[in-house]
Amino acid sequence: MAQVVAPDRLSLLVRYAELLATEGVLRGLIGPREVPRLWDRHLLNCALVGPLVPEGASVADLGSGAGLPGLVLAIARPDLRVSLIEPMARRVAFLEEACAELGLGSVEVVRGRAEECRSRFDVVTARALAALPKLLGWGMPLVAEGGQLLAMKGSSAAAEIADSGVELDRWRARAEVVTSSVPGSSVTTVVRVVREVDSGIGWRSSNARRRGREHA
């Protein structure tokens, strides 16, 4: 864990793990059977995404749920500005309480769906949210030019990329499978989707094109 989380941030991660194992279970955000494997399967798994995120980046975590990977990234990388986007009220309440408990002032909790968000971010993350073709439709409008979508996946990563050709063309983006691990741990598999610079794709550009057609 020390390879991806600085020693002075480890105590915060320990406290977050305690919240997941108690309030997270009571509120149905984490299954009781997941508690014994919180560190390897969840916390370390998410922390390994950190090295893929540029320094000082703005990050949107879609469907954040219990805060995985968004809260883990915020703890491990205090240089990041993280927005946790989650539509369900009980999950939002947990995220807000966790941020207050952990003193994470750089984290914003947003109640809403990805398609309702009009902000743009350097990095958009998602874990077990949707198959890649659908996820691209939700996440890519939020990715700034030159930014990236980091979708945490399992063994289906390559197949999901193969199924996403139409959507990747639509967003003028390219995708690749990236793996990350530390000795003695399981491997974290991420599909990294990168938008072309000046691709002209996104909510604002789509609205601008629509207005242009209306005035034509």
Side-chain angles (χ1 to χ4, degrees):
M1 184 64 77
Q3 294 97 319
V4 288
V5 180
D8 63 338
R9 306 291 289 181
L10 190 56
S11 62
L12 287 179
L13 197 59
V14 170
R15 180 56 186 141
Y16 175 49
E18 292 171 349
L19 291 173
L20 289 175
T22 54
E23 287 298 315
V25 172
L26 288 174
R27 302 185 192 196
L29 306 183
I30 292 289
R33 294 182 180 179
E34 296 302 308
V35 173
R37 48 190 182 183
L38 268 178
W39 283 93
D40 182 62
R41 185 170 182 176
H42 298 285
L43 300 178
L44 179 55
N45 180 249
C46 291
L48 285 168
V49 177
L52 303 178
V53 181
E55 184 175 354
S58 58
V59 178
D61 185 34
L62 302 187
S64 195
L68 302 167
L71 270 181
V72 176
L73 292 175
I75 292 170
R77 294 281 304 279
D79 60 297
L80 303 178
R81 291 162 287 124
V82 179
S83 295
L84 307 176
I85 302 176
E86 169 56 50
M88 294 188 64
R90 63 187 175 87
R91 295 174 180 172
V92 168
F94 173 82
L95 293 172
E96 290 176 338
E97 292 167 19
C99 288
E101 172 77 17
L102 300 171
L104 299 175
S106 63
V107 178
E108 175 189 27
V109 180
V110 180
R111 184 181 179 187
R113 299 181 181 277
E115 55 266 40
E116 297 168 346
C117 183
R118 295 297 182 266
S119 299
R120 303 284 286 279
F121 302 87
D122 300 316
V123 177
V124 173
T125 61
R127 183 177 191 249
L129 183 59
L132 188 61
K134 180 177 289 188
L135 182 60
L136 291 172
W138 292 342
M140 293 309 290
L142 309 187
V143 178
E145 290 181 355
Q148 58 184 336
L149 170 70
L150 300 177
M152 300 181 67
K153 295 290 182 180
S155 58
S156 66
E160 291 194 38
I161 291 177
D163 291 339
S164 302
V166 172
E167 284 296 311
L168 289 170
D169 288 343
R170 175 191 176 196
W171 297 107
R172 300 181 191 175
R174 54 185 174 82
E176 62 178 344
V177 177
V178 180
T179 59
S180 181
S181 65
V182 294
S185 78
S186 58
V187 175
T188 293
T189 302
V190 175
V191 173
R192 176 162 55 191
V193 183
V194 180
R195 285 188 54 188
E196 296 178 4
V197 177
D198 297 325
S199 63
I201 300 294
W203 290 115
R204 291 187 179 90
S205 59
S206 297
N207 291 337
R209 287 196 299 273
R210 189 180 302 112
R211 288 193 297 269
R213 289 193 297 269
E214 291 170 352
H215 292 296

